Amino acid sequence: MAESIKKKIAIFGSTGSIGTQALEVINAYPDLFEVEILTAQTNDKLLVEQALKYNPNAVVIGDERKYETVKSALSSSGVKVFSGEAALEEVADFDTYDMMLAAIVGFAGLKPTLKAIENGKAVALANKETLVVAGDIVMQLALANRVPIIPVDSEHSAIFQCLVGETRNKIEKIILTASGGPFLGKKPNFLVNVKRHHALQHPNWNMGAKITVDSATLMNKGLEMIEAKWLFNLDPGQVEVIIHPQSIVHSMVQFEDGSVKAQMGLPDMKLPIQYALTFPQRVQNNNPRINFRKLDTLHFEEPDIKTFRNLSLATLALEKGGNLPCILNAANEIAVWAFLNNRIGFLDITAVVEKAMQKINYIEKPNLADYFESDGEARNFAASLIKM
Ligand code: NAD
Ligand code: MG
């Protein structure tokens, strides 16, 4: 295949769980993809290793103290090295790539993703927080710039796959499946004593620390409800969550005639990553397949929103909209960070988020500056609760 038709991929957050799995996918299809940009926040060693292997045009190391180390390790490679937060937007503005894989975790992913969209680049979106915080602005900008936003999140990839060929048909509702995480069936008297290492053991998926805690608190599913609203242009009432502990049905779409389409697969993020990178094509791989003869059960049950109150908070944010999802997200990022550092308990995460949602001024129609301000205010407020 000619060099020129390879898709040039910019992986923002290449050292993370999604980023490293994306590189495995790219590695498996050397005729289809080329790595153009890699970015990492702190893991200079892995970033250098990746750069030496994939020979991108440029890398960004977020932590400026590591610039010299990365620069000297790559001095004879010809790879351009940048550093600092602003550099993420600078490289997102490059003309030299075709698609950004947005795989930074948290609010930090918003600015570079917006820049890629402004720059007219397709986005494979893993960073759900971008849509939770500013979904209206992100989707409007994408529409104005004719930029496709292709979901990487497995549930949203499932819905996206179910909608292929259905452009003229109305969605009645979507059903997001949730594994339930490591504490499925547990009650507050158990959860009050849960520590970092318990929460980091997810039954089905191996992911970064923040999303693993979010899965344990069910905030991840709450964020995904809001993500789905923006991706698929839905009303809050069209988004439903169901617990499905096997993580085989990745999500479902119910149409107006009552027909339900589900997308299934083994729980492996490489499939939704690969689909986003190759869409609209599917390409062959030899990953393990579902053996339906050995699947003894596919179970579904109602989520326990009395215990996992984050789901109710996220539903409220979904319904009220405005800057409330942004506030929820910011407080959650601070609370999860504090939990991971053993500063607060598991149930305190929800308490911090709830208080921030009550405290920070509600704005019905925020602009981008309002979102940044609300994010900062919610972070400061959440941090002030944690110090006490
Ligand atoms: P991770 O923690 O494993 O990796 C995060 C990446 O972002 C790393 O490369 C890190 O260097 C970079 N990063 C972290 N903080 C940064 C900052 N402040 N500025 C710039 N870069 C920063 O996270 P992950 O599990 O790969 O998740 C990435 C995103 O994908 C999240 O938004 C998550 O919700 C979403 N997602 C992940 C999975 C999964 O299976 N891991 C599944 C669905 C969605
Ligand atoms: Mg998901």
Side-chain angles (χ1 to χ4, degrees), residues 47-349:
L47 181 67
V48 165
E49 205 178 286
Q50 292 175 340
L52 291 174
K53 180 163 178 192
Y54 294 98
N55 195 33
N57 174 23
V59 299
V60 178
I61 178 79
D63 184 346
E64 294 179 44
R65 292 166 302 182
K66 300 200 163 159
Y67 172 76
E68 286 304 333
T69 319
V70 175
K71 178 86 185 150
S72 72
L74 296 178
S75 59
S76 55
S77 68
V79 177
K80 297 180 191 113
V81 181
F82 299 84
S83 178
E85 198 189 325
L88 289 172
E89 285 179 90
E90 245 171 83
V91 298
D93 205 25
F94 280 9
D95 204 30
T96 52
Y97 68 98
D98 300 308
M99 175 181 253
M100 170 191 276
L101 173 64
I104 287 175
V105 60
F107 182 82
L110 175 60
K111 278 189 186 172
T113 306
L114 281 172
K115 187 56 83 178
I117 299 171
E118 274 169 21
N119 191 16
K121 303 301 183 186
V123 175
L125 188 76
N127 177 253
K128 64 192 82 186
E129 294 90 345
T130 285
L131 288 181
V132 172
V133 171
D136 51 347
I137 290 175
V138 172
M139 294 312 286
Q140 271 166 28
L141 195 65
L143 199 65
N145 288 286
R146 294 164 183 265
V147 163
I149 308 281
I150 303 170
V152 170
D153 212 349
S154 57
E155 297 77 1
H156 305 75
S157 174
I159 293 163
F160 189 77
Q161 293 180 54
C162 291
L163 290 176
V164 168
E166 302 281 2
T167 33
R168 288 166 186 277
N169 295 322
K170 261 202 193 153
I171 298 171
E172 195 165 80
K173 67 176 180 185
I174 61 156
I175 303 153
L176 293 174
T177 52
S179 70
F183 307 135
L184 178 60
K186 301 290 191 225
K187 296 291 172 197
N189 62 354
F190 175 90
L191 295 175
V192 71
N193 295 316
V194 153
K195 293 281 178 274
R196 174 195 155 97
H197 64 278
H198 303 119
L200 287 182
Q201 285 160 356
H202 195 282
N204 304 345
W205 302 94
N206 196 352
M207 310 176 286
K210 194 253 175 187
I211 182 174
T212 306
V213 174
D214 283 345
S215 300
T217 65
L218 287 203
M219 182 57 94
N220 183 50
K221 211 49 54 180
L223 300 177
E224 290 184 357
M225 291 171 80
I226 301 167
E227 179 186 17
K229 167 188 153 139
W230 293 119
L231 278 171
F232 306 112
N233 195 18
L234 302 169
D235 292 328
Q238 291 175 289
V239 184
E240 192 175 294
V241 169
I242 192 97
I243 301 291
H244 169 48
Q246 294 79 20
S247 298
I248 295 290
V249 173
H250 295 316
S251 279
M252 299 177 260
V253 180
Q254 181 171 311
F255 295 93
E256 279 191 310
D257 59 357
S259 177
V260 178
K261 276 193 183 176
Q263 187 267 340
M264 297 189 230
L266 292 172
D268 179 352
M269 283 308 295
K270 286 206 282 296
L271 175 55
I273 292 169
Q274 168 177 323
Y275 188 75
L277 297 183
T278 65
F279 175 79
Q281 261 79 51
R282 290 186 183 274
V283 296
Q284 197 278 334
N285 66 36
N286 292 322
N287 298 343
R289 299 331 196 207
I290 301 176
N291 181 347
F292 282 93
R293 293 181 180 176
K294 294 225 164 113
L295 263 189
D296 45 43
T297 173
L298 291 181
H299 175 76
F300 301 92
E301 69 184 51
E302 184 114 355
D304 175 3
I305 57 172
K306 287 215 173 84
T307 303
F308 296 93
R309 291 199 308 118
N310 277 347
L311 214 45
S312 307
L313 295 177
T315 304
L316 178 68
L318 170 78
E319 284 166 354
K320 277 194 82 179
N323 63 343
L324 207 53
C326 169
I327 296 166
L328 164 127
N329 177 70
N332 182 59
E333 286 192 25
I334 295 295
V336 169
W337 177 86
F339 173 74
L340 283 170
N341 287 284
N342 299 316
R343 300 271 297 275
I344 62 173
F346 186 78
L347 294 175
D348 299 330
I349 299 173

